[in-house]
Amino acid sequence: MAWPDRVEIDAAGDVALTAEQAAGLLGCALEDFLADLRAGRVFSVVERGEGADAGRLRLTLQRRATRRQILVAAQDGRVLRIT
C-alpha cells in the first residue's frame, strides 16, 4: 500500500486514519494490526504544533517495535512528511 498523501481531520481536529492506512504505515497485514490493536499493542499520540509549528499536527503510531511519525497540515490534512 502506498502511504497516504492526505488524511482526514475529524471534528475535534485530530488526525483520523483508517485501519488499512495505519497497517500500511506500520508495514503489517491488516489482520495482524487489528489483532494487536485489540490486544493493546498499538499506540498513537497526536500533538498540535505551537509557535513556528502552529498549523501542523504530528501523529505518532507505534506497534510493537515499529514507529512512524506523520506530520500533517492541520487545515487540510495534507501529509507533509512521514518518518
Side-chain angles (χ1 to χ4, degrees):
M1 173 184 171
W3 289 357
D5 59 354
R6 192 171 297 277
V7 297
E8 182 180 334
I9 306 291
D10 69 16
D14 290 330
V15 177
L17 295 176
T18 66
E20 290 85 359
Q21 287 175 316
L25 286 163
L26 293 168
C28 64
L30 178 59
E31 299 77 25
D32 295 336
F33 172 79
L34 292 173
D36 281 347
L37 185 64
R38 285 188 289 271
R41 290 187 289 261
V42 176
F43 303 93
S44 65
V45 175
V46 175
E47 300 168 276
R48 288 172 176 66
E50 297 179 358
D53 292 319
R56 296 180 183 168
L57 301 172
R58 180 172 59 197
L59 170 65
T60 302
L61 286 174
Q62 184 162 341
R63 173 188 172 261
R64 300 180 184 223
T66 302
R67 186 176 84 168
R68 290 274 181 253
Q69 289 189 322
I70 307 166
L71 186 62
V72 176
Q75 66 273 19
D76 62 5
R78 187 172 28 96
V79 173
L80 304 172
R81 182 175 63 229
I82 298 175
T83 55

